[in-house]
Amino acid sequence: MNRPFRVAAVFGFLFVLFGAFGAHGLEGRVDARGLEIWKTAVLYHALHALVLLALALRPPVARGPFRCFAAGIAIFSGSLYLLVLTGQKWLGAITPLGGLVLLAGWLWLAIRPPEAVARRD
């Protein structure tokens, strides 16, 4: 249980860090559209970091959905962060792949809930 919890904690730490950076470090450096893109990245990052934490706290950890959410955060939010920081528009083409991975995590949970949840049904 320690590794998934630590992974969730790192993703949580990063969403606070990137949220603060967007609010204070990007002001005056990027346009309004860039700030909106950054906010979207932070929102999805934050929500799914909390999902990672919830999964980590419910042993046995649903490894498939956990991995989907972790990869989805990295691809979806990561590509948006890089797009804003670098201005490389082609990174926007990667973002939907991250969204698909996040959707896969949610679908996986819907089709096959974690063992601890399924026992209560």
Side-chain angles (χ1 to χ4, degrees), residues 2-73:
N2 285 337
R3 178 180 252 168
F5 186 84
R6 287 181 179 149
V7 168
V10 168
F11 274 102
F13 172 86
L14 291 173
F15 97 68
V16 174
L17 179 71
F18 293 150
F21 179 72
H24 305 289
L26 291 179
E27 194 174 342
R29 295 179 186 215
V30 298
D31 62 11
R33 178 74 178 130
L35 288 176
E36 284 303 312
I37 291 170
W38 192 272
K39 286 178 184 179
T40 299
V42 170
L43 175 64
Y44 277 76
H45 186 157
L47 292 172
H48 290 91
L50 292 172
V51 172
L52 290 177
L53 182 61
L55 290 173
L57 291 173
R58 288 196 79 109
V61 174
R63 293 184 191 279
F66 188 93
R67 289 177 179 153
C68 284
F69 292 127
I73 293 168

